[in-house]
Amino acid sequence: MANWFAEMEEKQAEARLAFGRMLRLWRERNGWTQYTVADWGKEAGFPTISYGNLSAIEQGKAGELRRPAFFQIAEASQRLHESRYGTIRSKELRDKIKAGRPLLGNDDQPWGPQELWACYVGLQDIPEAYKVQPKPEAPALSAKEARELSSRWRGAVGEAIDAHELDPFQALQAIARLAPLAHRKQLRKVLTSFGDYSPADLRELWDGDWLPQQWIQTWQSSLSGNTEATGREQAQPQDPSTVAPSS
């Protein structure tokens, strides 16, 4: 009996971690911070999960979640699916929400509270789109090539700041919030010219494309009057292989 109970505890812990990774990936793909959904609910007038609770869930540390949490997550996803945004006064927040996508199951339908609960307790697998995939191998870069990428990203951000007459500190903070916490300090260091990414750093920041490039593009797309094509052109080095792998 003791072994059975220990196995069940282990499976539940694994399910909670997988559920947390799923929510984090959904949020990051939408270009949202942990505050975004809570801010949306506050402005639009519907109950949402708090950023503190969301943070605990994403880390797999929430323990036994109460029922309202699953309804709150499902409500946000369903509103995205139906383009039912409510009244959002902040243009920046409104643009972020409208650019978001619902959390969909394998049948391309948004998950409701029942599916979310079943997944959290390990009775239902997470959708294929949110499963951890083997990390693709990053292009081999020399130190010079890593510095060139760092410089290009700094230049792209600087041009956007000048073009939109933004406060540099606030702009850099907005970009950093798009990155996972573990990568924010290094990203700010690179974008403020206090250092460059090394080849080893960039190996960890490749998922078929450079993650700093993706964060910058997401930020650019949120700027007023900035089109997706312009943002891609400014932030992206011509092609993922523009900086040629070292021989």
Side-chain angles (χ1 to χ4, degrees):
M1 178 65 73
N3 288 340
W4 176 85
F5 184 77
E7 289 176 4
M8 287 296 296
E9 286 283 292
E10 184 177 353
K11 287 181 179 178
Q12 282 203 334
E14 291 174 356
R16 289 170 184 171
L17 283 172
F19 185 88
R21 285 194 298 266
M22 175 186 71
L23 285 193
R24 185 177 68 247
L25 185 55
W26 174 49
R27 176 177 61 78
E28 290 176 351
R29 286 178 180 176
N30 282 341
W32 295 352
T33 70
Q34 290 179 336
Y35 295 86
T36 302
V37 171
D39 289 344
W40 177 21
K42 184 177 181 180
E43 290 208 10
F46 67 93
T48 56
I49 194 161
S50 70
Y51 65 85
N53 203 7
L54 179 60
S55 176
I57 295 170
E58 289 186 358
Q59 297 177 63
K61 298 178 180 180
E64 295 295 333
L65 271 183
R66 298 179 65 181
R67 184 173 60 179
F70 302 108
F71 281 86
Q72 290 163 355
I73 296 168
E75 172 73 9
S77 182
Q78 187 66 39
R79 282 174 171 263
L80 288 176
H81 184 65
E82 298 172 355
S83 300
R84 186 163 45 91
Y85 309 117
T87 302
I88 306 175
R89 296 182 299 277
S90 165
K91 183 182 185 305
E92 180 182 359
L93 179 60
R94 184 170 63 251
D95 290 344
K96 278 187 178 182
I97 296 303
K98 287 187 175 181
R101 297 292 180 268
L103 197 163
L104 302 176
N106 292 330
D107 58 357
D108 290 330
Q109 294 301 309
W111 268 12
Q114 180 176 338
E115 289 85 4
L116 291 166
W117 171 82
C119 181
Y120 188 73
V121 299
L123 298 177
Q124 181 163 331
D125 204 2
I126 65 173
E128 290 295 326
Y130 296 100
K131 288 186 176 179
V132 176
Q133 302 296 329
K135 195 169 184 178
E137 185 175 353
L141 298 176
S142 66
K144 179 182 177 182
E145 290 163 345
R147 288 195 299 270
E148 288 175 353
L149 273 175
S150 301
S151 178
R152 290 185 186 185
W153 292 327
R154 276 196 296 271
V157 170
E159 288 176 11
I161 288 173
D162 291 342
H164 294 274
E165 299 180 347
L166 303 174
D167 178 276
F169 175 79
Q170 292 183 0
L172 294 177
Q173 289 294 91
I175 298 169
R177 284 195 294 268
L178 296 172
L181 187 61
H183 296 296
R184 292 178 186 177
K185 182 177 179 180
Q186 180 71 357
L187 177 62
R188 284 193 291 262
K189 183 178 178 181
V190 170
L191 295 183
T192 52
S193 301
F194 281 98
D196 295 306
Y197 284 119
S198 69
D201 293 330
L202 290 175
R203 276 197 297 273
E204 298 301 314
L205 295 171
W206 175 265
D207 70 349
D209 201 352
W210 301 114
L211 290 176
Q213 178 175 298
Q214 293 179 24
W215 300 329
I216 293 169
Q217 287 176 355
T218 298
W219 169 73
Q220 285 178 316
S221 70
S222 72
L223 300 179
S224 175
N226 194 23
T227 65
E228 181 178 326
T230 301
R232 185 181 300 114
E233 179 180 294
Q234 288 177 337
Q236 148 176 333
Q238 299 172 9
D239 182 89
S241 58
T242 294
V243 179
S246 301
S247 58

